[in-house]
């Protein structure tokens, strides 16, 4: 595995700790608790906001702008990811992380106090920018502050931080929305940010602040990459807008979005990413293929259960709750040191699990198939995702020099987010073309309704299963060393 070893100069290598020390050992405890708490709060917000959003849009008389409350977050987060990567590589992760958390909290306050829907959308945009800064800065913190043997464990802890929010978040958000009002879902989280911020920042300042080489002359921001980041954000926004209402006129924003996205993606992702070149390009590509195929499919699971099998929205949501546990379990498995030699095989197996789960999901369209089979299938898919997502993060940091950790982490997150947009847009367009109905149908269908034709769901799930199978092939190309064929005897 020597070809996979990171190129870490001796001057910036983490200080070795005793072999028995883990991420909660004396050397890392404060830092680990702080950054895991930050991830936990971001996860809680992500799972809670979806419950309060329809109520907020209705009270602000902004149903027409409902989708933009989601797309605004995404488009600005893409820009934040690229900016954070450059900022962290040049000055260390402390400043982008601080500004990101402050922006995230400020956006929540703006959204929570909004008197009009357009102000609410602006708040979500500010929040997305902060979220993009934070996620990349956290990866750079892990790269600089933790020994290589501990990185799988901290990534597993990040994944575990989503388990409780994924189960409790919607229920807590619904209770707060019903009894106190939707605004408190947004206004309550900023107050909770203060504690992890106070814990994490001093530890980051001690272990991961400043440039990689303090004696090197300062490097200016790459203005070309900043322009490309702006282009990818606007292009993604246009593509999302075009996918919301399929029609001939939507070809105009779709074409403009693609025209902006293609050069931006080629300029921001590692060379050879879309050719599945061995090593880092394939790691970045796999992250997008895995996340995009799974999330695009998962977005239609609750709607399918409500419209085709008559479940209530609450029961449909809880059918996915087991997946949070198995996802964390898969991430925990990949974090074990004894699994390191088999990481690539684990990822191939993980993508096969994801493909099987997605392909099996539309079986519940058959009335004789019990609904609980989908919950089990999705738990298997989430187990595979835990193996893959945690491992891509570990491999990315392993293949990145310290001065490239920010830019490469940004590329990984861009691949993840952009694949979500593209595959969701494609799946949504196919769904609508086969009579799936409007985006808002999921909020108006009552239990037992049949607002969507079964074929509309099949045309979403089966292509995504094929994409996941492509991911299984990409997972065979993560080792940068070419496989040499044995010489003929």
């Amino acid at each position: 595995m020597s070809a996979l070893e990171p190129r870490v100069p001796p001057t910036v290598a983490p200080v070795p700790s005793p072999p028995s020390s883990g991420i909660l050992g004396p050397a890392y405890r404060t830092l680990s608790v702080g950054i895991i708490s930050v991830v936990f709060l971001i996860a809680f917000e992500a799972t809670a906001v979806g419950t309060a959003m329809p109520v907020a849009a209705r009270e602000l008389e902004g149903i027409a702008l409902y989708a933009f409350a989601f797309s605004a977050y995404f488009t600005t987060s893409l820009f934040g990811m690229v900016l954070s990567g450059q900022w962290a590589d040049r000055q260390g992760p402390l400043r982008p992380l601080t500004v990101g958390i402050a922006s995230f909290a400020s956006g929540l306050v703006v959204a929570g106090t909004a008197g009009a829907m357009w102000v609410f959308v602006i708040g979500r945009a500010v929040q997305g920018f902060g979220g993009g800064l934070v996620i990349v800065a956290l990866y750079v913190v892990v790269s600089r502050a933790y020994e290589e043997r501990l990185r799988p464990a901290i990534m597993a802890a990040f994944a575990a931080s989503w388990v409780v929010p994924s189960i409790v978040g919607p229920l807590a958000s619904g209770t707060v929305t019903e009894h106190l009002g939707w605004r408190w879902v947004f206004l309550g989280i900023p107050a909770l940010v203060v504690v992890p911020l106070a814990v994490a920042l001093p530890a980051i300042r001690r272990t991961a602040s400043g440039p990689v080489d303090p004696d090197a002359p300062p490097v200016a921001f790459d203005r070309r990459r900043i322009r490309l980041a702006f282009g990818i954000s606007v292009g993604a926004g246009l593509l999302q807008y075009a996918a919301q209402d399929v029609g001939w006129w939507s070809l105009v924003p779709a074409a403009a979005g693609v025209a902006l996205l293609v050069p931006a993606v080629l300029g921001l992702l590692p060379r050879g990413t879309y050719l599945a070149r061995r090593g880092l390009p394939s790691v970045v590509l796999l992250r997008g293929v895995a996340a995009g195929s799974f999330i695009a499919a998962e977005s239609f699971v609750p709607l399918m259960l409500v419209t085709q099998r008559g479940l209530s929205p609450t029961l449909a949501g809880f059918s996915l709750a087991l997946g949070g546990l198995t996802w964390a379990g898969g991430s925990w498995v990949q974090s074990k040191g004894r699994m390191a030699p088999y990481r690539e095989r684990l990822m191939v197996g993980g993508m096969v699990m994801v493909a099987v789960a997605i392909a099996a999901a539309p079986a519940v369209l058959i009335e004789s198939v019990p609904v609980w089979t989908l919950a089990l299938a999705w738990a298997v898919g989430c187990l595979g995702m835990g193996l893959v997502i945690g491992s891509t993060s570990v491999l990315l940091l392993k293949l990145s020099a310290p001065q490239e950790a920010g830019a490469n982490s940004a590329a990984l997150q861009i691949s993840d987010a952009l694949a979500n947009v593209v595959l969701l847009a494609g799946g949504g367009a196919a769904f609508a073309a086969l009579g799936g109905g409007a985006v808002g149908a999921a909020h108006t269908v009552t239990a037992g309704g049949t607002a969507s034709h079964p074929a509309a769901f099949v045309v979403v799930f089966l292509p995504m299963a094929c994409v996941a199978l492509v991911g299984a092939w990409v997972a065979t190309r993560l080792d940068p060393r070419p496989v040499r064929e044995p010489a003929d005897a």
Side-chain angles (χ1 to χ4, degrees), residues 181-258:
W182 64 268
R183 295 183 185 275
W184 288 104
V185 175
F186 293 86
L187 296 176
I189 295 175
L192 301 177
V193 170
V194 176
V195 174
L197 194 64
V199 172
L201 293 187
I204 294 172
R205 184 178 292 108
R206 291 193 304 269
T207 59
S209 63
V212 173
D213 186 357
D215 298 326
V219 180
F221 280 85
D222 188 336
R223 295 183 179 180
R224 174 179 172 273
R225 290 183 68 86
I226 297 297
R227 289 195 297 270
L228 291 175
F230 183 76
I232 201 172
S233 298
V234 175
L238 288 171
L239 199 62
Q240 285 188 340
Y241 176 77
Q244 289 171 18
D245 189 6
V246 179
W248 66 267
W249 63 270
S250 64
L251 294 176
V252 176
V258 171

Side-chain angles (χ1 to χ4, degrees), residues 36-62:
I36 290 171
S37 298
V38 171
V39 174
F40 179 86
L41 289 175
I42 291 176
F44 186 82
E45 184 277 337
T47 56
V49 160
T51 303
M53 197 80 76
V55 180
R58 185 170 60 248
E59 289 191 8
L60 294 174
E61 298 180 354

Side-chain angles (χ1 to χ4, degrees), residues 307-333:
T307 61
Q308 304 303 310
R309 296 303 299 266
L311 269 66
S312 68
T314 300
L315 286 177
F318 274 119
S319 69
L320 304 178
L322 180 60
L325 295 174
T326 57
W327 189 312
S331 190
W332 177 81
V333 168

